[in-house]
């Protein structure tokens, strides 16, 4: 009963760690959650080139630089938004601070729902602002009407038409592009959820493969384990040499493919066979390492002898979790790469030394007396 309770707690802890690691990865990585065709969701967005079509940005800091040009409409949600380039369509923004710099040109209408707005550019269409503080710089040029609802407004324009009260109908029309951003928020959440689910399924799938290998080939895995435990340094050196050899062969094949593509295509089956052999050998070594790591972890939870399949699954999940934790930071990524090379070398060396577990390290002899 105690063993079952300990294993249940261990399994629950592993699932919780997988979820926490994925959430931490989504928070720590600076890359946007969605960065597809003119759609970006992330911490910051910088545009300094010309793009076609509409642009949708959700982020903390958004900057459309002077050399930027958008061929369609622009929809922005963020804390600080600055536009200094060209927009061929309408511009809609929702957030804290919005600045339209001198030299910027908006060929359509502009709708702003922000706390602080500073306008100093050219707007061919209408300007509709709802906020707390609004400033219209002397260089502001608006061809259409200007509608402002704000607690504090400073209009520094000279000989400009007066500012009108807010146009509710225009606000509803101009806010239509932001309706799609709510779906993007749901899509971003779906991306996070899908990433967590994919990572969980991948970890469970690799664990299932490791368990299957231990169940189907127990003797072979035992021989590889014996080789790794008895001579880990030798196995690491042997495996690292094989990695270098495979890297050299891959580099040579890439050069051959660029110089003589027909000959490279003829040799492609041989290269694929070599790659499959390497992958199978490395996988056998990984399964054995998972068994060794799992044995070290399980032995600290319970003293009872557990089946190798459970031990292997625990070890595999622990290695995958360690990998996820390391790749969250830049120094950790370097450590993760080194750890991957070392572990792969050790497992690969053990599998090669025992010929995929078919040859034991130490031969046993039956002595009759």
């Amino acid at each position: 009963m105690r063993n079952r309770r300990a294993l249940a707690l261990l399994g629950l802890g592993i699932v919780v760690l997988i979820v926490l690691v994925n959430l931490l990865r989504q928070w720590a990585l600076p890359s946007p959650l969605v960065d597809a065709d003119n759609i970006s969701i992330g911490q910051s967005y910088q545009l300094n080139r010309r793009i076609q079509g509409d642009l949708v940005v959700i982020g903390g800091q958004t900057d459309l630089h002077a050399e930027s040009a958008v061929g369609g409409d622009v929809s922005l949600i963020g804390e600080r938004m600055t536009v200094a380039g060209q927009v061929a369509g309408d511009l809609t923004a929702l957030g804290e601070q919005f600045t339209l710099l001198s030299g910027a040109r908006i060929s359509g209408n502009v709708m702003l729902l922000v706390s602080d707005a500073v306008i100093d550019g050219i707007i061919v269409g209408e300007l509709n602002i709802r906020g707390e503080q609004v400033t219209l710089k002397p260089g502001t040029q608006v061809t259409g009407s200007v509608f402002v609802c704000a607690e504090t407004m400073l209009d520094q324009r000279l000989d400009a038409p007066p500012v009108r009260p807010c146009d509710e109908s225009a606000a509803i029309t101009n806010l239509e592009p932001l309706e799609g951003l709510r779906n993007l928020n749901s899509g971003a959440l779906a991306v996070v959820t899908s990433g967590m689910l994919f990572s969980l399924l991948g970890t469970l799938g690799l664990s299932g493969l490791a368990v299957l290998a231990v169940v189907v080939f127990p003797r072979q895995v035992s021989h590889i384990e014996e080789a790794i435990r008895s001579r880990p340094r030798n196995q690491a050196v042997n495996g690292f040499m094989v990695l270098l050899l495979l890297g050299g062969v891959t580099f040579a094949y890439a050069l051959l493919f660029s110089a003589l593509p027909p000959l490279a295509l003829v040799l492609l089956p041989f290269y694929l066979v070599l790659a499959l052999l390497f992958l199978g050998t490395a996988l056998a070594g990984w399964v054995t390492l998972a068994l060794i790591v799992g044995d070290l972890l399980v032995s600290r939870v319970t003293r009872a002898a557990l089946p190798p399949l459970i031990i292997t699954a625990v070890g595999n999940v622990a290695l995958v979790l360690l990998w996820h934790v390391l790749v969250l930071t830049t120094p950790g990524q370097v450590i993760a790469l080194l750890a991957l090379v070392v572990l792969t070398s050790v497992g690969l060396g053990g599998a090669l030394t025992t010929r995929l577990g078919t040859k034991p390290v130490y031969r046993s002899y039956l002595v009759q007396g």
Side-chain angles (χ1 to χ4, degrees):
M1 180 63 68
R2 292 182 179 179
N3 293 337
R4 293 180 179 178
R5 184 177 302 174
L7 288 177
L9 292 176
L10 181 61
L12 179 61
I14 288 173
V15 174
V16 172
L17 283 176
I18 292 176
V19 174
L20 291 179
V21 165
N22 279 274
L23 291 176
L24 183 60
R25 180 181 61 183
Q26 298 293 339
W27 170 81
L29 294 180
S31 58
L33 297 175
V34 177
D35 194 4
D37 296 338
N38 302 345
I39 299 176
S40 178
I41 302 178
Q43 295 297 324
S44 63
Y45 180 82
Q46 307 287 327
L47 180 64
N48 52 13
R49 59 185 177 88
R50 180 181 298 272
I51 62 175
Q52 299 296 328
D54 299 335
L55 174 65
V56 178
V57 179
I58 301 178
Q61 175 72 40
T62 300
D63 294 300
L64 307 185
H65 298 287
E67 58 271 22
S68 66
V70 180
D73 298 335
V74 174
S75 300
L76 307 176
I77 290 183
E79 297 178 1
R80 294 176 299 277
M81 299 161 286
T82 302
V83 177
Q86 312 294 316
V87 177
D90 297 336
L91 172 64
T92 307
L94 174 64
E96 294 294 329
Q97 299 178 1
F98 177 86
T99 304
L100 185 68
L101 297 179
S102 176
R105 179 184 178 88
I106 313 299
S107 300
N109 299 324
V110 175
M111 176 64 195
L112 306 177
L113 272 74
V114 295
S115 298
D116 187 2
V118 179
I119 307 299
D120 190 13
I122 300 175
I123 301 174
V124 178
E126 294 183 349
L127 174 61
N128 200 314
I129 305 177
R130 284 164 173 75
E132 297 178 359
Q133 298 180 356
V134 176
T135 302
L136 303 179
K137 294 289 187 178
T140 302
Q141 300 180 23
V142 183
T143 303
S145 302
V146 178
F147 302 91
V148 176
C149 288
E151 297 179 1
T152 304
M153 189 195 72
L154 179 60
D155 190 355
Q156 301 176 348
R157 299 176 300 164
L158 299 177
D159 299 330
V163 176
R164 300 182 181 182
C166 296
D167 186 354
E168 297 297 336
S169 61
I172 296 175
T173 302
N174 290 326
L175 278 177
E176 289 180 355
L178 294 181
E179 292 295 327
L181 297 182
R182 295 188 302 177
N183 298 330
L184 285 177
N185 282 325
S186 301
L189 180 60
V191 170
V192 176
T193 305
S194 300
M196 295 174 55
L197 181 61
F198 179 79
S199 180
L200 177 61
L201 293 178
T203 303
L204 295 178
L206 186 58
S207 300
L209 185 61
V211 168
L212 182 63
V214 171
V215 173
V216 177
F217 307 103
R219 179 173 298 181
Q220 288 80 355
V221 174
S222 177
H223 291 165
I224 300 176
E225 179 186 8
E226 181 183 6
I228 294 177
R229 288 182 181 272
S230 60
R231 300 173 182 176
R233 294 183 180 180
N234 294 342
Q235 312 309 334
V237 173
N238 295 336
F240 186 70
M241 293 301 176
V242 174
L243 287 178
L244 292 179
L245 177 61
L246 181 64
V249 171
T250 302
F251 181 74
Y253 183 79
L255 293 179
L256 180 63
F257 191 85
S258 60
L260 299 173
L263 181 58
L265 291 177
V266 173
L267 297 178
L268 180 60
F270 300 96
Y271 178 77
L272 292 178
V273 171
L274 179 63
L276 289 176
L277 289 176
F278 169 80
L279 181 61
T281 307
L283 184 60
W286 177 270
V287 170
T288 307
L289 287 174
L291 178 63
I292 295 175
V293 173
D295 182 54
L296 294 176
L297 295 177
V298 172
S299 61
R300 297 179 179 276
V301 177
T302 177
R303 296 181 180 180
L306 297 177
L309 56 92
I310 296 180
I311 297 176
T312 304
V314 172
N316 180 76
V317 173
L319 290 175
V320 173
L321 284 177
L322 179 62
W323 167 265
H324 279 74
V325 171
L326 290 177
V327 298
L328 290 176
T329 60
T330 302
Q333 294 174 1
V334 178
I335 298 175
L337 180 60
L338 294 176
L340 180 63
V341 172
V342 172
L343 292 177
T344 303
S345 299
V346 173
L348 186 62
L352 289 175
T353 301
T354 59
R355 299 178 184 177
L356 286 178
T358 60
K359 175 185 176 183
V361 178
Y362 302 105
R363 294 185 177 274
S364 59
Y365 297 93
L366 179 62
V367 180
Q368 296 181 355

